[in-house]
Structures are given as C-alpha cells and as structure tokens.
Amino acid sequence: MTRQVRTAIFPVAGLGTRFLPATKATPKELLPVLDTPLIQYAVDEARDAGIERMVFVSHPSKTAIERHVMEDARLTRELRARGKESIADALSEAAFQEEDDDVRFVMQKQPKGLGHAVLCAKDHILEGPVAVILPDDLILGDVGCLSEMVEAYRSGTVGHLVATMEVPEDRVHKYGVLSVTGKNGMIVTADGMVEKPDAKDAPSRQAVVGRYILDQSIFDALATQKPGAGGEIQLTDAIARGAASLGLGGFQFSGTRFDCGSKAGMLEATLELAAADPECRTVLEQRGLSFPAGPIAA
Ligand code: UTP
C-alpha cells in the first residue's frame, strides 16, 4: 500500500458564523490576511507539498471560492492590456489552470460537519492516503506544515497523522485532543482522541489543528459515523475509531498556527505578516506597537 499523499481535500462549505456579518456574502475562506485570502495560503501549502489533485468541498452559495482559485483569463487579459504585467503574472501563477491542473469542486449542500464534508469528497480521491487542509488554520513557517507531514507520513507507520500543538489547559475545550501514549521525534503516538473535552476530562494538552493525513479507510468510518459534538458528523470521532487498528500520530509541526476562524486569531496573523512588510511595519512602529512573536490566543 502506497504511503504517497496525492490528494488534498479543502473543506470550505461551512457557515462561518463566528465571522458574521463579514461572511454573509463573502466566504470565510476568502477573508484576507493582508492582501492574500486564506484559501490561497492553503492552496500554496498543498502545492508545495507536491499534492497532485485538489478537491474543494464547497457550497452552491460560495462560488467565489472557485472564481478565486481558478485562472480568470478575462482579468489577466485586461491587466496585460493596461500594462500591469507583473500583477497579471502573479495572479496567473497563483491560480489553477483548467487544462493543466487536477482540481475538483464537490458540493456539500448542508453543513453537517467537517466529517461529512470530507465524506463528500470520497469519489474524487486518488490512490493512497489523503490530506485534509482547513484554510482557516493558517500555519506560517520556513517549511509548509503539509510538506513536513507528508515527509513524516512517508517514512512513518501510523495510518492517521494529525497536526498537533500543545495548548494551555484552559483552552483544551476548543479542540480535538489526543490521548497520548508516547513520543517518537516530532510525532506523539496516541490511542485515541476526544472532541472538545472539558479541561478536567482532557486526556492531554495535545490539541489537533487543521492539517490531517488520513488512511483511505476514513471514508468507511465516516459513512457510518453518528453525529457527535454539536450534532455534527465529526472528523475527530471517525479518526479516533481507527486509532487502535491503524495507529494514530500527532505531528508537532515547526511553524506557528493562527486560528483565522476567530477575530483574535485573524488579528494576530495580520500583525505577524504586517511586521514583515516594510510599509505596514512603519504603520505599526508609528503606533508604538511591539512586534508579535507568534499567537498569544491559542
Ligand atoms: P469551522 O467550524 O471552523 O468553520 O470548520 P465554520 O463552521 O464555517 O465556522 P463557524 O464555526 O461557524 O464560525 C473548519 C472548516 O471546515 C469547513 C469550513 O468551511 C472550514 O473551512 N466545514 C465545516 C465544511 O466544509 N462543512 C461543514 O459542515 C463544517
């Protein structure tokens, strides 16, 4: 069985309620950190990791996501006609080309949960394990988080590998949390995971964030998965069911993660990138702001 990760799923069909009213007409995944929408960071990360096929699980009301990720020939033509060659080149390079790139859009008509969204992609997966990327978890670092995970997965033995980071005890209730059994380099081994536990019941402080590499059997598990926390089909629950037979690992990525599904996380990500941009940095300095070093609000 191959351990090469060829497919990435981007679940982008959610309601984005925490960001209303911004997300009433604009998909959360298109909200920008500085000038780049969240979905673009996710797509770039998947490309860097060598993913061949990109599967977007979207909603009919969120067609702007497709318009963003695909080449817009009319716009690039218009930009070139106006002499804006470099902007046209940059847009073209960032976008998928209909003829050259393997991109699929699948609809999740009702937001029944992340697990259900992943299940919607089932018929579009290439052979081997599958990556799942949540665009509202922005992970910045020298090496893309998915690239690191693909490498670790290839040389490892676990069936499911999830990105994890240590969070303070008073934050565990916001995450899926691993039941840790040991550690091997950048991977913590686990025999299960729990979605959003109370601090007193949490098996560890290893919180799962939005990058996963999953054995294909996840689709069978999801097909029979009963609704869990919040009445939704939880990806966490289906992963946990396979933990004993497949092996489950938490990958402690080297980058810094920002929860861009929340206002505070989005602000932190914006400050982080602004500090690296000469024009924006001047604005921060003029206001006497100290420069951020990673997120404070996990
Ligand atoms: P979130 O729970 O962060 O997104 O899901 P949400 O539900 O859109 O946002 P809030 O909590 O109401 O503010 C993480 C990712 O999973 C997708 C979302 O679009 C987001 O990219 N998702 C979530 C789906 O595709 N379908 C779902 O049913 C739920």
Side-chain angles (χ1 to χ4, degrees), residues 40-186:
Q40 187 69 53
Y41 292 103
V43 162
D44 292 348
E45 191 180 320
R47 271 199 178 126
D48 286 348
I51 298 296
E52 289 171 49
R53 175 176 291 175
M54 315 280 178
V55 183
F56 295 84
V57 181
S58 187
H59 182 269
S61 67
K62 298 177 88 173
T63 50
I65 293 176
E66 184 166 345
R67 289 210 309 281
H68 176 81
V69 300
M70 298 307 294
E71 165 82 328
D72 183 339
R74 188 203 55 79
L75 177 60
T76 37
R77 239 188 350 262
E78 193 69 37
L79 288 167
R80 289 191 202 289
R82 292 171 187 218
K84 297 183 186 296
E85 293 289 338
S86 60
I87 304 177
D89 288 346
L91 280 185
S92 235
E93 206 171 297
F96 293 121
Q97 311 297 322
E98 208 157 283
E99 319 77 53
D100 304 335
D101 292 307
D102 189 353
V103 185
R104 313 261 170 127
F105 294 89
V106 184
M107 294 300 132
Q108 182 194 28
K109 298 228 170 70
Q110 286 183 342
K112 294 185 190 169
L114 177 58
H116 180 258
V118 170
L119 181 58
C120 290
K122 179 178 190 262
D123 295 337
H124 301 271
I125 304 305
L126 296 169
E127 187 203 4
V130 59
V132 177
I133 303 185
L134 307 190
D136 54 352
D137 268 340
L138 176 62
I139 301 181
L140 301 175
D142 293 338
V143 185
C145 179
L146 194 62
S147 294
E148 287 182 332
M149 288 179 73
V150 163
E151 195 44 49
Y153 191 92
R154 205 177 0 233
S155 55
T157 55
V158 295
H160 294 323
L161 186 65
V162 298
T164 56
M165 61 181 207
E166 192 160 310
V167 297
E169 199 179 311
D170 62 353
R171 301 267 174 186
V172 287
H173 65 281
K174 294 177 164 216
Y175 296 89
V177 176
L178 287 189
S179 177
V180 175
T181 53
K183 190 161 186 321
N184 182 4
M186 285 172 94

Side-chain angles (χ1 to χ4, degrees), residues 258 267-276 284 289-296:
F258 297 87
L267 177 62
E268 284 181 324
T270 303
L271 288 171
E272 183 86 5
L273 290 181
L284 294 180
L289 292 172
S290 62
F291 295 112
I296 297 149

Side-chain angles (χ1 to χ4, degrees), residues 274 276-286:
D277 176 288
E279 197 184 329
C280 297
R281 191 184 171 99
T282 307
V283 176
L284 294 180
E285 279 167 351
Q286 282 166 349

